[in-house]
């Protein structure tokens, strides 16, 4: 049986408004991918799923693909499309 | 459009690009920031870009923009964007500052200065950096009307 890990999810800008929170600590199984985490988050906050196509994901402040495996202590950021400048 | 990198001249090879990036809540003064540029003796061009908050968008009056961001990642991304530009073009220095917080109409939200040996690479890098910033740096703006 795989060891549980804990990750912290951060919600930014419109996503913070949708979820009503800035961060969320989540227990996951080692080897779970970003995509698995997203599915889990969509169960907690179904309205997030409407933004799925546009979501950018960062782990520990670097953009990642949804296929990467999560590690214990990872900081996962859900980012809506950026609009700086 | 595909950018073509310029060849580094003998002078450029001796210049390690000086990179400065910042996020700030303070008002940006492009003229004052430009004074901070201390061009190398081989620098022949300083291209600048100032992004200013428009007073109108789609017929709607705008009072200010409220910028927020994932600030630690935004600083990292700003550095990465500028470093990538310095790999593509023989740059001497880049200064990039972006506001966070409330930025009133007419004020500068972003200021960029790129120093290089010649205008071609200075202009090209300046445009590339600001275009890239708008795609990858986790900053968001909200309109205040």
């Amino acid at each position: 049986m795989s060891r549980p890990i804990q990750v912290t999810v951060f919600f930014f800008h419109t996503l913070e408004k949708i979820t009503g929170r800035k961060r969320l600590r989540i227990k996951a199984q080692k080897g779970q991918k970003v995509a698995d985490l997203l599915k889990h988050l969509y169960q907690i906050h179904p309205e997030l799923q409407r933004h799925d196509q546009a979501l950018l994901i960062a782990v520990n402040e670097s953009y990642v693909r949804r296929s990467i495996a999560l590690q214990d202590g990872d900081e996962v950021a859900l980012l809506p499309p950026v609009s700086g400048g | 459009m595909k950018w073509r990198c310029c060849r580094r001249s003998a002078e450029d090879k001796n210049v390690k690009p000086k990179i400065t990036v910042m996020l700030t809540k303070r008002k940006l003064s492009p003229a004052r920031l430009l004074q901070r540029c201390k061009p190398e003796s081989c620098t022949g061009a300083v291209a600048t870009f100032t992004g200013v908050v428009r007073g109108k968008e789609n017929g709607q009056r705008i009072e200010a923009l409220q910028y927020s961001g994932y600030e630690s990642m935004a600083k990292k991304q700003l550095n990465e964007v500028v470093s990538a530009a310095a790999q593509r073009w023989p740059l001497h220095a880049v200064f990039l500052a972006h506001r966070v917080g409330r930025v009133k109409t007419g004020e500068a939200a972003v200021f960029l200065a790129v120093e290089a040996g010649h205008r071609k690479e200075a202009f090209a890098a300046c445009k590339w950096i600001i275009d890239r910033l708008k795609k990858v740096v986790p900053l968001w703006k909200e309109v205040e009307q």
Side-chain angles (χ1 to χ4, degrees):
Chain A
M1 193 173 153
S2 54
R3 199 159 51 89
I5 59 167
Q6 185 165 272
V7 299
T8 308
V9 182
F10 292 87
F11 302 98
F12 285 94
H13 195 54
T14 49
L15 307 178
E16 183 186 335
K17 288 174 191 163
I18 288 170
T19 59
R21 56 173 111 209
K22 280 184 194 291
R23 71 179 72 183
L24 177 62
R25 287 210 169 151
I26 287 191
K27 282 191 176 146
Q29 293 301 313
K30 196 166 186 221
Q32 277 198 326
K33 297 181 173 146
V34 168
D36 300 319
L37 175 69
L38 286 173
K39 275 186 205 160
H40 182 58
L41 288 170
Y42 296 158
Q43 284 175 354
I44 303 171
H45 296 289
E47 61 278 38
L48 272 181
Q49 196 160 7
R50 284 193 291 124
H51 301 263
D52 180 74
Q53 298 272 316
L55 275 186
L56 298 166
I57 314 291
V59 172
N60 302 328
E61 301 183 355
S62 293
Y63 289 111
V64 295
R65 291 176 192 275
R66 296 178 185 207
S67 55
I68 75 144
L70 294 164
Q71 305 294 324
D72 191 32
D74 274 351
E75 294 189 346
V76 182
L78 269 59
L79 312 168
V82 302
S83 57
Chain B
M1 183 175 179
K2 195 173 177 184
W3 290 106
R4 295 182 66 186
C5 299
C6 304
R7 284 180 67 176
R8 286 170 200 273
S9 66
E11 291 81 15
D12 289 329
K13 281 178 187 161
N14 296 323
V15 179
K16 187 174 182 276
K18 187 184 168 199
I19 292 171
T20 311
V21 302
M22 63 169 73
L23 290 175
T24 179
K25 287 182 177 167
R26 296 174 66 179
K27 199 170 169 177
L28 297 176
S29 166
R32 211 170 56 220
L33 290 171
L34 200 52
Q35 282 177 353
R36 288 172 57 159
C37 294
K38 305 278 182 230
E40 300 283 336
S41 58
C42 55
T43 296
V46 182
T48 66
F49 171 82
T50 306
V52 175
V53 175
R54 271 186 293 276
K56 260 188 180 179
E57 182 91 11
N58 301 324
Q60 297 270 11
R61 197 164 156 268
I62 293 171
E63 200 67 39
L65 291 178
Q66 190 73 39
Y67 283 91
S68 63
Y70 182 5
E71 293 192 20
S72 52
M73 183 177 167
K75 275 187 208 159
K76 195 174 157 188
Q77 285 294 319
L78 287 173
N79 259 309
E80 282 182 17
V81 168
V82 172
S83 299
Q87 292 286 318
R88 283 171 169 239
W89 291 278
L91 307 180
H92 298 173
V94 179
F95 178 91
L96 175 55
H98 200 298
R99 288 278 299 273
V100 285
R102 188 173 189 267
V103 187
K104 289 192 279 187
T105 296
E107 287 182 0
V110 59
F111 175 76
L112 168 64
V114 178
E115 296 176 26
H118 301 274
R119 69 183 184 282
K120 189 177 172 187
E121 53 264 37
F123 278 136
C126 192
K127 184 179 185 311
W128 188 86
I129 290 169
I130 203 72
D131 288 347
R132 195 83 190 123
L133 179 155
K134 283 172 168 282
K135 284 184 186 154
V136 301
V137 179
L139 294 168
W140 300 275
K141 59 189 163 206
E142 251 179 291
V143 175
E144 208 178 278
Q145 288 172 329

